[in-house]
Amino acid sequence: MKTKILMVCLGNICRSPLAEAILKSKLDPNYFFVDSAGTGDWHVNHAPDPRSVAIAKKNGLDISGQRGRQFRASDFKDFDHIFVMDNSNLKEVLLLTENKEEREKVTLILNALFENENVDVPDPYYGSADGFDQVFKLLDEACTVISKKLSNQLFQ
Ligand code: 4NP
């Protein structure tokens, strides 16, 4: 069975679609499934923000076919690892957990880079294109670390 990873942000149109595509590009699809969702419902069925589509394209990834969906409690059963982009997402997701097993699946994605520091991926929605560039770089670095850890677990 594949290891399933879910990327979560607020709208599921800026950060988590990038995180989904970046991690997917670093993992073997025979062993891993990666998806994304938002804690909010404003962008359900919407395409990603054009600025995220553009920065992905600049880096060789096509996220234009993704569509927004809202995070749901059943995701705790369907996914093995849930990476949230910021502390607000963390709070929202943890509110829906029912037990320790579910809570242990949830991690702030940048803790892969800055262990135990609980750093946010900045929300670029109301900012400039520069913000998307910075978000892409942070997610790319974090996903490199995460993909190595996950791939190593396959052989343990
Ligand atoms: P995301 O960014 O959580 O990275 O997808 C946002 C997208 C939309 C909104 C907020 C953040 N919004 O308020 O609609």
Side-chain angles (χ1 to χ4, degrees):
M1 221 174 56
K2 293 185 189 187
T3 300
K4 298 192 180 109
I5 302 114
L6 184 66
M7 299 297 192
V8 177
C9 64
L10 176 59
N12 193 211
I13 55 165
C14 295
R15 292 166 292 177
S16 60
L18 288 172
E20 175 190 332
I22 293 168
L23 186 64
K24 218 178 250 178
S25 75
K26 296 177 192 289
L27 290 173
D28 182 339
N30 290 310
Y31 297 103
F32 295 97
F33 172 76
V34 189
D35 192 15
S36 65
T39 57
D41 65 358
W42 315 284
H43 299 289
V44 169
N45 292 326
H46 291 186
D49 187 289
R51 296 165 295 178
S52 279
V53 175
I55 195 69
K57 194 174 174 195
K58 197 172 141 192
N59 288 278
L61 299 174
D62 181 6
I63 64 166
S64 63
Q66 290 189 32
R67 293 295 176 266
R69 79 154 171 97
Q70 190 171 24
F71 182 81
R72 47 187 177 248
S74 60
D75 286 325
F76 293 118
K77 295 188 176 50
D78 295 337
F79 289 87
D80 303 294
H81 303 280
I82 298 170
F83 291 102
V84 295
M85 300 297 122
D86 66 30
N87 282 277
S88 164
N89 310 147
L90 180 66
K91 195 175 139 204
E92 294 296 325
V93 167
L94 288 179
L95 277 174
L96 297 172
T97 54
E98 288 183 338
N99 54 50
K100 189 163 170 266
E101 191 194 345
E102 292 181 354
R103 282 192 293 279
E104 284 175 353
K105 291 184 177 186
V106 188
T107 319
L108 276 161
I109 192 164
L110 290 189
N111 277 0
L113 293 179
F114 314 109
E115 215 176 327
N116 298 322
E117 289 189 33
N118 302 334
V119 177
D120 290 344
V121 178
D123 186 344
Y125 187 62
Y126 294 106
S128 67
D130 274 4
F132 285 76
D133 213 33
Q134 193 205 354
V135 163
F136 191 96
K137 288 197 182 92
L138 282 169
L139 291 176
D140 192 49
E141 286 176 30
C143 287
T144 295
V145 174
I146 291 165
S147 67
K148 282 182 185 155
K149 275 193 192 159
L150 289 170
S151 299
N152 285 338
Q153 282 170 12
L154 283 180
F155 303 104
Q156 276 175 5

